[in-house]
Amino acid sequence: MEQAVFNLSQIEVFQPASLKEALKILNDNRDAEIIANATDLWPRIMNGEVKPKKLVDISGLRSELSYVKREKGVIRIGALTTISELSEHQFVSEKRYRAFNDAIKLFGSPQIRNRATVGGNICAASSSEDLIPVFLAYDAKVKLASVDGERIVSLDKFVVGKRELSKRHNEMMTEVFFEEPDDGYSSVFYKIGRRNTLIINLVNLAVVGKVQDKRVVDIRIAANRVKGKIPERARKTEEFLKGRTLDEETIADAQRVFGEELSLSDDFRASAEYRKQVLKVLLKRGLNVLGV
Amino acid sequence: MKSLLIKMNVNGVDREVLVDPDDRLLDVLRDELNLKSVKEGCGTGDCGICTVLMDGKPVLSCIIPAFQANNHKIVTLEGLNSDPTMQKIQQSFRKYQAAQCGFCTPAMEVVGWHLLNTEKKVDKNRIKEAISGVLCRCTGYYDIVDAVYEVAQQ
């Protein structure tokens, strides 16, 4: 008989009533894990992949951490904002934010969107999180709070590995924010999987950019995998495209540069070669959307 | 010893239940409150069979820790049985034979009811989207879409 090495019912659960209280608990308990609305973490606890001794349940902090604010040219999204709530905000319907709209429509299922949070998706920190490439393509930053105060970290310095965040044990991500691109920008997000609902992506790609008179003024490209297994910007491809005239030849060259920049690995979902091929096709589609 | 006391309003009735940290909302609804319309399918948030309404929105009770239902309002199919729209949906399910084994039926009816109660104009594509998070392995979905659509047109 297998020895029960870990008893789930022994988990100590903290349910703070305020952010301040939550940060105090985190500070006093090095071994505590933050749990938001649990759509990612709970199944991983139930199957034994994650074995927390203590949980700090922040789902009750919605009055402080669920919001979408648009002020002074910055969009600020509270960590506990659900995907459904994000979808209801007016900004996602604008052309320059189409990537958000595309990602939201393909996010989990309606039930998952009602629970999953923006902060949770970012902090889950894996290549299957669709919002990370989208936020990366908008040059987003995250706000980390602790008993010592707040600090700002750019998203690409925050998500540093598969299930790996660069933060101190007593810090909590409370907000993601980015400067609004002007309304001459366009954006698009693609996700390829095996069905249309509850897809775990094989690849995804977010493209945000500004093309004027066929010339690429600015472009940001992010995918769930560029090198290895974490979401990242494709900076070499971006540099290649900046300032060039967006014609068929440039697009073909950009696909080649992108293919060389990608350093992917095989896994049980798809081969590296397949992923590379699909990403190159998606880049072409994205550039065509921007060029229109 | 169950260690956490949670308070929730279930189908209009205030409840206090003692739960373990690893109890799921699904377990509490079925085992403590005897609400058997809520079923467990995959247990990992993929199939949608455990769908209930939390604060008016469809959610998956198999991946919600029971302690997170504290201070929330839960509605299951049992709480909607006397609702006129739900009665129409159930009659329509019978008419279109939209249930075969019946295992997904409570979840289908709850998401269908939620759609018809929150949106005025509902076409078949919108119904497909609304039920997309619930798997049915028998009907092929068309009968379910037709059943909800007929009520949407009334």
Side-chain angles (χ1 to χ4, degrees):
Chain A
M1 218 171 83
E2 266 190 28
Q3 189 83 20
V5 289
F6 176 70
N7 187 348
L8 281 172
S9 64
Q10 300 297 308
I11 299 176
E12 194 177 348
V13 179
F14 297 93
Q15 295 194 289
S18 69
L19 175 60
K20 199 178 165 200
E21 195 188 321
L23 296 177
K24 175 83 171 55
I25 295 167
L26 270 182
N27 196 57
D28 296 346
N29 295 273
R30 264 200 100 83
D31 48 355
E33 290 257 359
I34 299 168
I35 188 164
N37 278 357
T39 52
D40 177 74
L41 186 55
W42 193 252
R44 291 165 57 218
I45 291 175
M46 295 306 268
N47 72 16
E49 186 188 325
V50 186
K51 299 176 180 183
K53 289 192 180 70
K54 297 172 181 173
L55 288 173
V56 184
D57 174 17
I58 60 167
S59 66
L61 306 182
R62 287 180 46 78
S63 62
E64 286 178 272
L65 295 180
S66 170
Y67 55 82
V68 180
K69 291 179 192 162
R70 192 173 194 177
E71 51 192 23
K72 295 178 189 155
V74 178
I75 294 199
R76 298 180 181 279
I77 302 165
L80 281 182
T81 309
T82 65
I83 309 306
S84 295
E85 286 161 347
L86 184 64
S87 75
E88 286 158 12
H89 198 278
Q90 163 267 331
F91 90 88
V92 300
S93 63
E94 294 175 23
K95 188 185 69 165
R96 56 185 147 160
Y97 299 119
R98 180 178 148 185
F100 276 100
N101 207 11
D102 296 339
I104 289 165
K105 278 188 184 150
L106 296 168
F107 194 108
S109 68
Q111 289 93 319
I112 296 285
R113 295 197 282 275
N114 285 336
R115 284 291 286 175
T117 63
V118 171
N121 197 249
I122 290 173
C123 293
S126 85
S127 61
S128 51
E129 316 310 330
D130 291 324
L131 290 184
I132 298 176
V134 176
F135 280 115
L136 284 174
Y138 287 91
D139 266 334
K141 297 180 171 66
V142 296
K143 194 187 274 183
L144 303 179
S146 73
V147 288
D148 306 321
E150 284 179 346
R151 66 184 179 113
I152 307 292
V153 180
S154 76
L155 181 58
D156 60 350
K157 300 277 191 305
F158 181 58
V159 177
V160 291
K162 189 173 161 62
R163 303 284 186 200
E164 205 184 324
L165 299 175
S166 170
K167 74 173 187 72
R168 300 176 191 124
H169 80 90
N170 66 346
E171 285 179 321
M172 183 197 300
M173 180 201 144
T174 54
E175 182 182 280
V176 56
F177 66 95
F178 55 89
E179 283 180 26
E180 294 204 60
D182 69 57
D183 57 15
Y185 277 75
S186 303
S187 76
V188 67
F189 173 84
Y190 298 106
K191 173 175 178 175
I192 301 295
R194 292 183 185 277
R195 55 198 296 268
N196 288 326
T197 301
L198 286 158
I199 312 168
I200 293 186
N201 63 52
L202 302 175
V203 299
N204 66 20
L205 182 77
V207 183
V208 176
K210 186 174 184 174
V211 177
Q212 258 174 352
D213 304 324
K214 288 279 169 191
R215 203 177 68 84
V216 180
V217 179
D218 188 18
I219 187 147
R220 304 154 198 172
I221 301 161
N224 65 333
R225 295 169 183 213
V226 174
K227 292 179 191 65
K229 292 189 171 182
I230 57 161
E232 212 180 327
R233 289 271 289 273
R235 302 209 184 253
K236 283 181 187 159
T237 311
E238 292 176 5
E239 285 312 313
F240 173 81
L241 278 162
K242 275 179 196 166
R244 284 182 198 259
T245 302
L246 204 55
D247 53 23
E248 271 183 39
E249 199 188 330
T250 306
I251 292 176
D253 286 345
Q255 284 182 293
R256 184 180 45 76
V257 173
F258 190 38
E260 286 163 6
E261 182 170 15
L262 292 170
S263 160
L264 306 172
S265 52
D266 300 323
D267 67 17
F268 67 94
R269 288 204 176 90
S271 67
E273 201 46 45
Y274 174 79
R275 284 196 165 99
K276 184 190 274 192
Q277 185 59 33
V278 174
L279 276 169
K280 282 163 73 174
V281 171
L282 296 182
L283 178 69
K284 182 179 181 176
R285 287 184 196 168
L287 292 175
N288 281 326
V289 168
L290 257 55
V292 171
Chain B
M1 290 299 103
K2 304 231 175 209
S3 57
L4 301 165
L5 177 72
I6 60 163
K7 297 176 183 183
M8 50 183 182
N9 182 290
V10 182
N11 294 333
V13 181
D14 287 328
R15 302 277 192 176
E16 288 190 7
V17 191
L18 274 171
V19 302
D20 270 332
D22 61 337
D23 280 339
R24 305 165 298 175
L25 176 58
L26 169 78
D27 304 319
V28 174
L29 295 174
R30 281 184 65 85
D31 302 339
E32 302 290 329
L33 303 177
N34 206 32
L35 297 166
K36 304 289 191 189
S37 80
V38 190
K39 315 263 185 243
E40 175 165 12
C42 65
T44 54
D46 294 301
C47 77
I49 308 301
C50 65
T51 300
V52 299
L53 302 178
M54 186 171 186
D55 303 327
K57 290 178 180 166
V59 297
L60 304 172
S61 64
C62 79
I63 54 168
I64 296 180
F67 60 78
Q68 289 200 335
N70 192 26
N71 297 323
H72 289 277
K73 207 178 150 205
I74 308 295
V75 172
T76 70
L77 178 61
E78 285 88 346
L80 299 170
N81 271 335
S82 55
D83 176 88
T85 306
M86 181 54 89
Q87 289 180 347
K88 282 181 198 163
I89 290 172
Q90 293 182 338
Q91 282 159 14
S92 191
F93 264 62
R94 280 195 285 275
K95 178 177 166 188
Y96 285 90
Q97 300 191 6
Q100 283 185 33
C101 85
F103 201 69
C104 74
T105 309
M108 288 290 185
E109 291 180 349
V110 167
V111 296
W113 182 89
H114 175 263
L115 174 69
L116 299 184
N117 262 270
T118 49
E119 293 181 25
K120 281 182 188 143
K121 246 184 128 75
V122 171
D123 61 17
K124 287 197 178 180
N125 277 334
R126 190 66 196 93
I127 295 169
K128 285 181 190 169
E129 274 173 25
I131 68 165
S132 64
V134 185
L135 289 186
C136 170
R137 300 289 80 177
C138 320
T139 67
Y141 302 104
Y142 286 98
D143 305 325
I144 296 168
V145 173
D146 289 344
V148 177
Y149 187 62
E150 177 160 306
V151 183
Q153 284 178 304
Q154 289 169 16

